[in-house]
Amino acid sequence: MAWLSLKVLLVGVSFLGCLYPLVDFFFSGETRGQKPNFVIILADDMGWGDLGTNWAETKDTVNLDKMAAEGMRFVDFHAAASTCSPSRASLLTGRLGLRNGVTHNFAVTSVGGLPLNETTLAEVLREAGYITGMIGKWHLGHHSSYHPNFRGFDYYFGIPYSHDMGCTDTPGYNHPPCPACPRGDRPPRSPERDCHTDVALPLYENLNIVEQPVNLSGLAQKYAEKATQFIQRASTSRRPFLLYVGLAHMHVPFTRTPLAAGPQDGTPYASGLREMDSLVGHIKDRVDRTAKENTFLWFTGDNGPWAQKCELAGSVGPFTGLWQAQQGGSPAKQTTWEGGHRVPAVAYWPGRVPINVTSTALLSVLDIFPTVVALAGAGLPPDRRFDGLDASNVLFGRSQTGHRGSSFVCDLVKKDSLSLSRVGLSQVLFHPNSGAAGQYGALQTVRLEHYKAFYITGCPPCGLQTRIKWEENRNHSEGKRRASVFSSRDSTLLG
């Protein structure tokens, strides 16, 4: 009983930001057994063409390219939305924004976050005996119960939202250029509308703000140190662990730091890409030294590049959205064109994931939740529908089939939501509007095998009107272009 009281006391102290590693890693009588560890790394605003092994013009991702050669690279992998908060909510819930309630980005002034009735991946794994940690950008609510420590994560170190959503003393490269935080009685410079000067960007460790404003020049180094410390301590504890790392890269603003060492080509974006690649390399090296055979590392991105940032935006590779570009629009972030949601993805697990394999399976960030839950031997929450699938067979080289077509039966369509029953073994992949046009979260595009359609809805139940637009796609292996269209009579919606 005295031991239990001491543990409760220390947990209470931990929420004040003290002794937290001691609580989680020392007081554990559980052993890891055969349960695997998971490290999920999510890049921010990284284009499909920013990964060197995807696009020969990119030379700045040496560590990621090595990881792809030692594991599996996915060339048809998609974010669950084309902007930050909805994509992250889908990763942690396995559900589209229409289901989990997150259809747009949270702001500095937002008082809510990911709805509290949603069950996160961290909560499921912690219930299964895992130590859970989150490092980096959260962006799913930063007040009271929406904080990561109350959403299943034992340990948190990072920023509550994007690092351009608060002023810093080291503002870095951005369009438009933003000022540093005002000092003393000096009045703030009249900023551009995209600059945030009202609140200095905070850095949290658990519930404590440990730095404000954040020194962006040292943020990547801090993330690398905290991630490697968490992996080391969790491995020593002999308990399985989940580490979710939400990188600041490749979101603006950019800054040069020691982690970005290497050949310099003079562009802030290339330097930032090298810094991100080096950070990922540090995390992988720690995994290799401590728990290589029993740790699954999954790298991907939250959405495509932010085209409006001009030379500070990444590469969509061949997915230039010819039709959209000809109309004067962007084919990247916030849109449902391929460049907006097709993202780099690499899986690494020595001895389990086959090496140097390129997978063409149609997969999504939505699949991370059910796949990790299955590999952990845990169970999906029984009271809800999921939009992802267990991709274990693809990861272990037993299949090249991800999302694919099946039959659907419409049973209910309401004004703001729709529910359909699935009849079949698998599912098509839907992409929600993320701010480019129409209602936030509305399902705007549907992908079936090699075909994709853009559509609008507005019919009575079980009816669907489809507006067909052509998106130019590129065959990865042959480099041939083809225009793909999806027949309106085959169009389906998922509830």
Side-chain angles (χ1 to χ4, degrees), residues 153 232 390 456 487:
F153 289 102
Q232 183 64 53
D390 179 1
I456 56 172
S487 171

Side-chain angles (χ1 to χ4, degrees), residues 196-273:
H196 300 262
T197 58
D198 294 335
V199 178
L201 182 68
L203 178 65
Y204 281 83
E205 185 162 26
N206 298 314
L207 300 182
N208 273 2
I209 295 177
V210 295
E211 186 178 22
Q212 190 177 25
V214 176
N215 179 1
L216 295 181
S217 298
L219 189 59
Q221 184 67 46
K222 288 186 175 73
Y223 283 175
E225 291 172 356
K226 294 296 183 179
T228 55
Q229 287 172 10
F230 180 89
I231 293 169
Q232 183 64 53
R233 289 170 176 167
S235 298
T236 302
S237 78
R238 298 185 60 80
R239 288 179 61 190
F241 65 85
L242 164 69
L243 175 61
Y244 166 43
V245 183
L247 300 177
H249 306 81
M250 296 298 297
H251 199 294
V252 292
F254 296 120
T255 184
R256 295 183 185 275
T257 73
L259 272 179
Q264 303 296 310
D265 66 1
T267 68
Y269 194 88
S271 178
L273 197 56

